[in-house]
């Protein structure tokens, strides 16, 4: 497995762990308990700051380079690239809903629960499609020059939650994830 695919795969593992924490908060909703809105906001803001702004553009670079070379799996790759845009919009909408709810603006509990449920479903389906359909195809088809080109075009940013230096605001998420392991 090429190093770039391995890095993207690790990002997926990390995002899946984060989605598990989000699902834990959803279970609190479903049990008529009070979820931790600040934690929910931190989770979604993390997704907006790293997966949406760094991880997905990295994938799009590799996808674009692949599409210049081959057509096998083209419809899947184009769908995933479109989903990247949808995921950004969905993250933003969920953050806005959570902010309004945390600030005491009236949001029906069912609307928040449904938004989180939809978010989890879309995120997980997207991860599954990339892992199950596309990453192996990319790893087999791209040549060393393609990987060098992709690497040169990649946005560089340390992951603020799972990287070398965890940002203070994400410490509570790390603690929850470590407790789940």
């Amino acid at each position: 497995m090429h190093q770039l695919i391995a890095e993207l795969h690790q990002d997926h593992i990390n995002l899946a762990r984060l989605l598990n924490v989000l699902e834990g908060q959803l279970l609190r909703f479903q049990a008529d308990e009070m979820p931790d809105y600040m934690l929910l906001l931190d989770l979604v803001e993390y997704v907006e700051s790293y997966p949406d702004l760094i991880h997905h553009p990295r994938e799009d670079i590799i996808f674009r380079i692949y599409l210049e070379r081959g057509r096998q799996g083209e419809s899947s790759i184009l769908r995933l690239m479109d989903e990247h845009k949808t995921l950004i919009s969905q993250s933003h909408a969920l953050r806005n809903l959570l902010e309004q709810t945390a600030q005491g603006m009236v949001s029906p509990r069912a609307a928040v629960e449904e938004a989180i449920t939809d978010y989890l479903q879309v995120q997980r389906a997207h991860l599954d499609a990339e892992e199950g359909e596309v990453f192996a195809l990319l790893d087999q088809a791209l040549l060393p020059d393609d990987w060098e080109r992709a690497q040169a075009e990649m946005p560089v940013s340390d992951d603020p939650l799972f990287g070398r230096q965890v940002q203070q605001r994400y410490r509570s998420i790390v603690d929850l994830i470590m407790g789940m392991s």
Side-chain angles (χ1 to χ4, degrees):
M1 179 182 298
H2 190 273
Q3 163 127 9
L4 289 177
I5 293 292
E7 290 172 10
L8 295 173
H9 174 69
Q10 184 61 53
D11 284 349
H12 286 179
I13 291 169
N14 294 338
L15 184 55
R17 296 158 103 189
L18 194 79
L19 295 174
N20 290 339
V21 173
L22 183 59
E23 185 174 39
Q25 292 299 303
L26 176 62
L27 293 173
R28 292 182 74 165
F29 266 107
Q30 294 169 341
D32 285 330
E33 297 174 11
M34 181 62 81
D36 183 339
Y37 283 102
M38 296 318 294
L39 174 64
L40 288 168
L41 280 166
D42 284 346
L43 290 168
V44 176
E45 287 174 2
Y46 165 76
V47 172
E48 287 183 311
S49 71
Y50 186 77
D52 288 348
L53 291 180
I54 303 298
H55 174 84
H56 292 144
R58 290 174 57 128
E59 289 174 332
D60 286 344
I61 289 166
I62 295 169
F63 293 168
R64 183 178 38 78
I65 290 170
Y66 171 78
L67 290 174
E68 292 170 5
R69 178 168 295 291
R71 293 293 177 234
Q72 182 183 354
E74 178 181 23
S75 62
S76 294
I77 291 172
L78 291 172
R79 185 188 80 244
L80 291 169
M81 292 173 82
D82 283 341
E83 285 177 8
H84 288 163
K85 296 172 193 151
T86 302
L87 291 168
I88 290 170
S89 296
Q90 193 176 20
S91 294
H92 184 70
L94 180 58
R95 181 179 46 83
N96 285 338
L97 180 63
L98 292 170
E99 283 176 345
Q100 291 171 358
T101 305
Q103 293 171 2
M105 297 178 184
V106 178
S107 291
R109 188 177 183 96
V112 177
E113 188 177 324
E114 181 180 345
I116 294 171
T117 300
D118 290 346
Y119 189 77
L120 286 168
Q121 182 180 16
V122 170
Q123 287 280 357
R124 286 179 170 149
H126 181 81
L127 291 175
D128 290 347
E130 287 179 339
E131 292 286 333
E133 298 173 28
V134 175
F135 279 6
L137 177 66
L138 298 172
D139 197 43
Q140 292 173 354
L142 293 177
L143 302 172
D145 287 350
D146 298 323
W147 291 114
E148 287 176 27
R149 182 174 154 210
Q151 184 69 53
E153 294 180 31
M154 293 281 169
V156 177
S157 178
D158 194 32
D159 186 326
L161 175 58
F162 297 101
R164 293 181 298 268
Q165 181 85 19
V166 177
Q167 288 183 5
Q168 185 62 36
R169 69 180 295 183
Y170 297 127
R171 290 275 174 209
S172 61
I173 298 172
V174 171
D175 292 344
L176 281 170
I177 290 171
M178 297 311 273
M180 297 172 92
S181 299

